[in-house]
Amino acid sequence: MRSVLFAGVSVFLLAVPAIAQKEPVTGVISSQITAFLNDDFNAAFAHASPAIRRIFGTPERFGEMVRQGYPMVWRPADVRYLQLREMAGSLWQRVMITDTKGRVHLLDYQMVKPGSEWKINAVQLLNGQAEGA
């Protein structure tokens, strides 16, 4: 009985760091999506990591890339946050987005913390659509 309790507590303690980080991480993603909905590319660009900001250079170029490459992020109908996990030293937030045509998309957001705030370092569109997620 004691070993089962210890195993349960150990699993919980391993999950605590991810649980504690989920709210700030999802808050950054939500803020960026809200900025896109308002066509506020300056605010959306502010949530990008320094590496992403260097790649695109300006909020306008960044916004154009999102409009063309990630239309479901630019104009989502519904956003749901799924699991937050650590993989190979990186923090990844899985997000399920339903677009305006009712199609469901799964995306992984790579999050980094270059200073005191979380930033979005990459967004990976996963193959296929979510089924009944």
Side-chain angles (χ1 to χ4, degrees), residues 18-44:
I19 292 168
Q21 295 171 7
K22 186 169 179 113
E23 188 173 312
V25 164
T26 58
V28 169
I29 297 168
S30 291
S31 292
Q32 188 180 62
I33 290 173
T34 299
F36 286 134
L37 285 167
N38 293 321
D39 290 327
D40 185 350
F41 296 116
N42 288 320

Side-chain angles (χ1 to χ4, degrees), residues 60-122:
E60 294 75 25
R61 287 178 55 196
F62 178 69
E64 186 61 28
M65 178 278 298
V66 172
R67 277 194 303 262
Q68 291 180 6
Y70 297 89
M72 75 292 292
V73 173
W74 180 54
R75 291 294 187 263
D78 185 53
V79 177
R80 294 182 191 213
Y81 296 99
L82 305 177
Q83 67 270 26
L84 176 67
R85 64 213 182 283
E86 187 176 337
M87 293 181 354
S90 293
L91 199 60
W92 292 86
Q93 174 66 56
R94 173 104 5 121
V95 180
M96 183 173 70
I97 296 180
T98 304
D99 66 23
T100 57
K101 295 180 181 175
R103 294 178 299 223
V104 177
H105 307 270
L106 289 178
L107 299 95
D108 269 346
Y109 280 73
Q110 183 188 35
M111 305 300 293
V112 296
K113 199 170 186 181
S116 61
E117 298 178 0
W118 287 102
K119 300 290 182 181
I120 300 166
N121 194 53

